[in-house]
Amino acid sequence: MAADIPWEALFQQAAKVRERAHVPYSRFPVGAAILFEDGSVVTGCNVENATYGLTVCAERGAFVSAVAQGHSRPVAVAIVVDTPTPCPPCGMCRQVMAEFAGPDLPIRSRTLQGEEARYALRELLPYAFTRDFL
Ligand code: THU
């Protein structure tokens, strides 16, 4: 599957949705695109709030939308940021990814300049807490 992932298309969609980010406080727009097993792609951008703690990251926003749209088997996640080096997903988003994907989930983050980092979920969230413990 890894070889079949249309990373360029995913990054393009992540870059596009990033432009919709609501970031009046951090001015740090992030875009995310998730590819699902059935070929669907769901995107998300970060949405901040005057009550700062209510901020929803791009990745989590995308997962929440995806569930509402009936997609729950992610096979790849692409993230776009405008930083000197690619930015990995935050801890909360890693945990949300672990709810829906196994440890092999490939996650790639790219800057607007084209620098890229590649991860597997297991590297970002070793010893994930999952439903297996419940
Ligand atoms: N943010 C994301 O949307 N995704 C990440 O992977 C890291 C951080 C957002 C949250 C907040 O709106 C802004 O970036 C600065 O932390």
Side-chain angles (χ1 to χ4, degrees), residues 23 26 28 30 46 48 55 57-59 87-90:
V23 289
S26 73
F28 188 84
V30 182
N46 47 338
E48 299 181 346
T55 291
C57 293
E59 299 89 329
C87 142
C90 83

Side-chain angles (χ1 to χ4, degrees), residues 13-132:
Q13 290 181 75
K16 192 169 168 204
V17 72
R18 177 182 167 277
E19 291 169 12
R20 298 211 180 104
H22 177 73
V23 289
Y25 310 106
S26 73
R27 306 210 178 275
F28 188 84
V30 182
I34 309 168
L35 174 68
F36 288 85
E37 206 172 68
D38 64 359
S40 306
V41 175
V42 179
T43 60
C45 56
N46 47 338
V47 179
E48 299 181 346
N49 190 277
T51 300
Y52 302 151
L54 295 185
T55 291
V56 178
C57 293
E59 299 89 329
R60 255 175 309 133
F63 271 97
V64 170
S65 293
V67 171
Q69 292 172 40
H71 309 294
S72 57
R73 291 175 174 275
V75 293
V77 177
I79 301 162
V80 171
V81 287
D82 184 15
T83 43
T85 50
C87 142
C90 83
M92 269 208 273
C93 291
R94 297 175 194 196
Q95 181 64 31
V96 170
M97 291 177 194
E99 178 67 21
F100 299 105
D104 293 334
L105 177 75
I107 301 156
R108 294 189 183 184
S109 180
R110 213 183 255 185
T111 68
L112 288 188
Q113 307 309 317
E115 198 181 322
E116 190 177 297
R118 300 178 179 186
Y119 321 95
L121 183 55
R122 67 156 52 75
E123 300 171 79
L124 297 181
L125 191 65
Y127 307 104
F129 181 78
T130 65
R131 68 188 74 184
D132 296 341

